[in-house]
Amino acid sequence: MPRRNPFDELDELLDRMQENMEQAARMWEPTTPDSDPSSTSSLNIDLEDRGDELVLTGDLPGFETGDIDVRVKERTLHVAAEHDESTETGDGEYVRRERRRTAVSRSVPLPAAVDTEGITAAYNNGVLTVRMPKTEPSDEGTRIDVN
């Protein structure tokens, strides 16, 4: 029976610790250079390549259609949503106040050029779906209306 090297197990442990530290550091990075990590959180998405189109699906619970901004520029999809939950309800003094401004944003590099004129976005039951037909590259950015 071959003798085990105790340093192999230590190397494996250190590698796992390094991976965990890198993952934790990525969680704290802001999604845009000018964003404040204390007030902006990330948007969880799925990006699917369906051959002739790319389909992004993202979870945005609690937002209204008017709160969501979707843009494509230079083969990157930018999604941002913001709303203020702390609306004034009366003249009383707050005993406890936990509702606050909520903002999420995400920039997703696209694996292929998309037809910016053919992009559609829909928001239903807290889920944003953006359909982007593939095309040749373009230099201009385009704002997409959310239905």
Side-chain angles (χ1 to χ4, degrees):
M1 186 168 187
R3 187 170 181 190
R4 293 182 2 175
N5 184 348
F7 293 106
D8 289 342
E9 291 180 29
L10 183 59
D11 281 341
E12 289 177 24
L13 176 64
L14 291 173
D15 288 342
R16 283 186 284 169
M17 288 174 57
Q18 179 68 30
E19 289 173 15
N20 288 341
M21 292 298 289
E22 289 172 359
Q23 183 180 12
R26 282 191 301 271
M27 290 174 50
W28 291 104
E29 290 177 358
T31 55
T32 59
D34 58 334
S35 66
D36 176 10
S38 65
S39 64
T40 304
S41 61
S42 184
L43 164 67
N44 294 323
I45 58 105
D46 293 330
L47 182 61
E48 182 181 359
D49 186 342
R50 294 190 178 168
D52 60 340
E53 71 176 349
L54 299 172
V55 178
L56 177 127
T57 307
D59 295 331
L60 287 171
F63 290 92
E64 299 291 329
T65 303
D67 299 333
I68 304 169
D69 183 39
V70 179
R71 298 175 188 265
V72 171
K73 185 174 183 180
E74 298 174 4
R75 285 182 58 168
T76 302
L77 177 70
H78 304 277
V79 179
E82 180 178 351
H83 73 278
D84 191 356
E85 298 172 352
S86 59
T87 57
E88 297 298 324
T89 57
D91 296 328
E93 184 176 322
Y94 288 99
V95 175
R96 184 177 186 130
R97 189 168 186 175
E98 296 179 353
R99 298 184 309 155
R100 65 190 185 331
R101 176 186 160 275
T102 302
V104 296
S105 64
R106 184 79 181 262
S107 294
V108 181
L110 300 174
V114 295
D115 175 14
T116 56
E117 299 298 321
I119 296 174
T120 60
Y123 181 68
N124 187 22
N125 294 330
V127 178
L128 175 68
T129 304
V130 182
R131 295 182 175 281
M132 301 165 279
K134 292 181 182 178
T135 189
E136 294 300 315
S138 172
D139 293 333
E140 297 180 24
T142 303
R143 186 177 191 294
I144 295 99
D145 292 327
V146 178
N147 299 324

mmCIF file of all heavy atoms in Angstrom, residues 104-123:
data_model
loop_
_atom_site.group_PDB
_atom_site.id
_atom_site.type_symbol
_atom_site.label_atom_id
_atom_site.label_comp_id
_atom_site.label_asym_id
_atom_site.label_seq_id
_atom_site.Cartn_x
_atom_site.Cartn_y
_atom_site.Cartn_z
ATOM 1 N N VAL A 104 -31.015 47.279 -8.467
ATOM 2 C CA VAL A 104 -30.231 46.160 -8.974
ATOM 3 C C VAL A 104 -29.718 46.539 -10.352
ATOM 4 O O VAL A 104 -30.354 47.323 -11.063
ATOM 5 C CB VAL A 104 -31.036 44.842 -9.060
ATOM 6 C CG1 VAL A 104 -31.465 44.367 -7.694
ATOM 7 C CG2 VAL A 104 -32.236 44.989 -9.960
ATOM 8 N N SER A 105 -28.576 46.003 -10.721
ATOM 9 C CA SER A 105 -28.055 46.254 -12.058
ATOM 10 C C SER A 105 -27.144 45.110 -12.466
ATOM 11 O O SER A 105 -26.600 44.409 -11.628
ATOM 12 C CB SER A 105 -27.290 47.579 -12.108
ATOM 13 O OG SER A 105 -26.154 47.516 -11.288
ATOM 14 N N ARG A 106 -27.016 44.980 -13.765
ATOM 15 C CA ARG A 106 -26.176 43.910 -14.298
ATOM 16 C C ARG A 106 -25.796 44.269 -15.721
ATOM 17 O O ARG A 106 -26.627 44.742 -16.499
ATOM 18 C CB ARG A 106 -26.961 42.595 -14.274
ATOM 19 C CG ARG A 106 -26.207 41.365 -14.713
ATOM 20 C CD ARG A 106 -25.295 40.851 -13.612
ATOM 21 N NE ARG A 106 -24.553 39.693 -14.031
ATOM 22 C CZ ARG A 106 -24.887 38.443 -13.758
ATOM 23 N NH1 ARG A 106 -25.965 38.192 -13.059
ATOM 24 N NH2 ARG A 106 -24.143 37.455 -14.177
ATOM 25 N N SER A 107 -24.553 44.058 -16.074
ATOM 26 C CA SER A 107 -24.066 44.194 -17.440
ATOM 27 C C SER A 107 -23.611 42.822 -17.887
ATOM 28 O O SER A 107 -22.793 42.196 -17.222
ATOM 29 C CB SER A 107 -22.904 45.188 -17.512
ATOM 30 O OG SER A 107 -23.357 46.470 -17.189
ATOM 31 N N VAL A 108 -24.157 42.366 -19.013
ATOM 32 C CA VAL A 108 -23.883 41.019 -19.493
ATOM 33 C C VAL A 108 -23.252 41.098 -20.881
ATOM 34 O O VAL A 108 -23.900 41.554 -21.831
ATOM 35 C CB VAL A 108 -25.191 40.186 -19.568
ATOM 36 C CG1 VAL A 108 -24.898 38.777 -20.040
ATOM 37 C CG2 VAL A 108 -25.916 40.197 -18.245
ATOM 38 N N PRO A 109 -22.004 40.665 -21.021
ATOM 39 C CA PRO A 109 -21.404 40.616 -22.357
ATOM 40 C C PRO A 109 -22.126 39.558 -23.193
ATOM 41 O O PRO A 109 -22.374 38.454 -22.728
ATOM 42 C CB PRO A 109 -19.950 40.212 -22.105
ATOM 43 C CG PRO A 109 -19.772 40.103 -20.639
ATOM 44 C CD PRO A 109 -21.089 40.244 -19.983
ATOM 45 N N LEU A 110 -22.465 39.933 -24.418
ATOM 46 C CA LEU A 110 -23.192 39.014 -25.292
ATOM 47 C C LEU A 110 -22.201 38.236 -26.157
ATOM 48 O O LEU A 110 -21.250 38.815 -26.679
ATOM 49 C CB LEU A 110 -24.176 39.790 -26.163
ATOM 50 C CG LEU A 110 -25.232 40.578 -25.392
ATOM 51 C CD1 LEU A 110 -26.055 41.430 -26.343
ATOM 52 C CD2 LEU A 110 -26.116 39.647 -24.588
ATOM 53 N N PRO A 111 -22.435 36.941 -26.334
ATOM 54 C CA PRO A 111 -21.514 36.116 -27.116
ATOM 55 C C PRO A 111 -21.608 36.343 -28.620
ATOM 56 O O PRO A 111 -20.770 35.852 -29.372
ATOM 57 C CB PRO A 111 -21.923 34.683 -26.757
ATOM 58 C CG PRO A 111 -23.351 34.789 -26.372
ATOM 59 C CD PRO A 111 -23.505 36.145 -25.741
ATOM 60 N N ALA A 112 -22.619 37.091 -29.069
ATOM 61 C CA ALA A 112 -22.796 37.358 -30.495
ATOM 62 C C ALA A 112 -23.426 38.731 -30.660
ATOM 63 O O ALA A 112 -24.056 39.257 -29.741
ATOM 64 C CB ALA A 112 -23.695 36.290 -31.127
ATOM 65 N N ALA A 113 -23.259 39.329 -31.844
ATOM 66 C CA ALA A 113 -23.902 40.601 -32.147
ATOM 67 C C ALA A 113 -25.406 40.377 -32.298
ATOM 68 O O ALA A 113 -25.848 39.326 -32.759
ATOM 69 C CB ALA A 113 -23.334 41.187 -33.429
ATOM 70 N N VAL A 114 -26.202 41.374 -31.853
ATOM 71 C CA VAL A 114 -27.656 41.259 -31.913
ATOM 72 C C VAL A 114 -28.249 42.421 -32.693
ATOM 73 O O VAL A 114 -27.671 43.501 -32.775
ATOM 74 C CB VAL A 114 -28.278 41.194 -30.494
ATOM 75 C CG1 VAL A 114 -27.854 39.927 -29.782
ATOM 76 C CG2 VAL A 114 -27.937 42.412 -29.675
ATOM 77 N N ASP A 115 -29.432 42.185 -33.275
ATOM 78 C CA ASP A 115 -30.178 43.200 -34.007
ATOM 79 C C ASP A 115 -30.894 44.083 -32.990
ATOM 80 O O ASP A 115 -31.915 43.685 -32.427
ATOM 81 C CB ASP A 115 -31.175 42.532 -34.945
ATOM 82 C CG ASP A 115 -32.073 43.523 -35.663
ATOM 83 O OD1 ASP A 115 -31.762 44.732 -35.652
ATOM 84 O OD2 ASP A 115 -33.091 43.087 -36.232
ATOM 85 N N THR A 116 -30.385 45.286 -32.745
ATOM 86 C CA THR A 116 -30.944 46.144 -31.701
ATOM 87 C C THR A 116 -32.373 46.584 -32.012
ATOM 88 O O THR A 116 -33.139 46.856 -31.100
ATOM 89 C CB THR A 116 -30.056 47.384 -31.469
ATOM 90 O OG1 THR A 116 -29.892 48.080 -32.707
ATOM 91 C CG2 THR A 116 -28.709 46.977 -30.922
ATOM 92 N N GLU A 117 -32.730 46.651 -33.281
ATOM 93 C CA GLU A 117 -34.093 47.048 -33.650
ATOM 94 C C GLU A 117 -35.105 45.927 -33.378
ATOM 95 O O GLU A 117 -36.283 46.183 -33.190
ATOM 96 C CB GLU A 117 -34.151 47.447 -35.130
ATOM 97 C CG GLU A 117 -33.256 48.619 -35.485
ATOM 98 C CD GLU A 117 -33.636 49.886 -34.739
ATOM 99 O OE1 GLU A 117 -34.832 50.149 -34.556
ATOM 100 O OE2 GLU A 117 -32.702 50.604 -34.320
ATOM 101 N N GLY A 118 -34.652 44.684 -33.342
ATOM 102 C CA GLY A 118 -35.565 43.554 -33.157
ATOM 103 C C GLY A 118 -35.651 43.058 -31.723
ATOM 104 O O GLY A 118 -36.343 42.081 -31.440
ATOM 105 N N ILE A 119 -34.962 43.724 -30.786
ATOM 106 C CA ILE A 119 -34.963 43.275 -29.395
ATOM 107 C C ILE A 119 -36.299 43.584 -28.748
ATOM 108 O O ILE A 119 -36.848 44.674 -28.907
ATOM 109 C CB ILE A 119 -33.819 43.945 -28.603
ATOM 110 C CG1 ILE A 119 -32.477 43.517 -29.171
ATOM 111 C CG2 ILE A 119 -33.903 43.594 -27.128
ATOM 112 C CD1 ILE A 119 -31.295 44.237 -28.548
ATOM 113 N N THR A 120 -36.816 42.610 -27.996
ATOM 114 C CA THR A 120 -38.044 42.817 -27.223
ATOM 115 C C THR A 120 -37.778 42.443 -25.769
ATOM 116 O O THR A 120 -36.980 41.555 -25.487
ATOM 117 C CB THR A 120 -39.208 41.963 -27.759
ATOM 118 O OG1 THR A 120 -38.862 40.585 -27.680
ATOM 119 C CG2 THR A 120 -39.560 42.340 -29.192
ATOM 120 N N ALA A 121 -38.463 43.139 -24.875
ATOM 121 C CA ALA A 121 -38.334 42.849 -23.451
ATOM 122 C C ALA A 121 -39.727 42.808 -22.844
ATOM 123 O O ALA A 121 -40.562 43.654 -23.143
ATOM 124 C CB ALA A 121 -37.485 43.917 -22.759
ATOM 125 N N ALA A 122 -39.967 41.824 -22.003
ATOM 126 C CA ALA A 122 -41.253 41.675 -21.326
ATOM 127 C C ALA A 122 -41.004 41.401 -19.852
ATOM 128 O O ALA A 122 -40.029 40.727 -19.494
ATOM 129 C CB ALA A 122 -42.065 40.546 -21.951
ATOM 130 N N TYR A 123 -41.889 41.917 -19.013
ATOM 131 C CA TYR A 123 -41.779 41.730 -17.567
ATOM 132 C C TYR A 123 -43.107 41.186 -17.070
ATOM 133 O O TYR A 123 -44.148 41.810 -17.256
ATOM 134 C CB TYR A 123 -41.451 43.067 -16.900
ATOM 135 C CG TYR A 123 -41.294 43.000 -15.408
ATOM 136 C CD1 TYR A 123 -40.227 42.319 -14.836
ATOM 137 C CD2 TYR A 123 -42.207 43.616 -14.561
ATOM 138 C CE1 TYR A 123 -40.069 42.261 -13.466
ATOM 139 C CE2 TYR A 123 -42.055 43.568 -13.195
ATOM 140 C CZ TYR A 123 -40.984 42.892 -12.648
ATOM 141 O OH TYR A 123 -40.834 42.834 -11.287
#
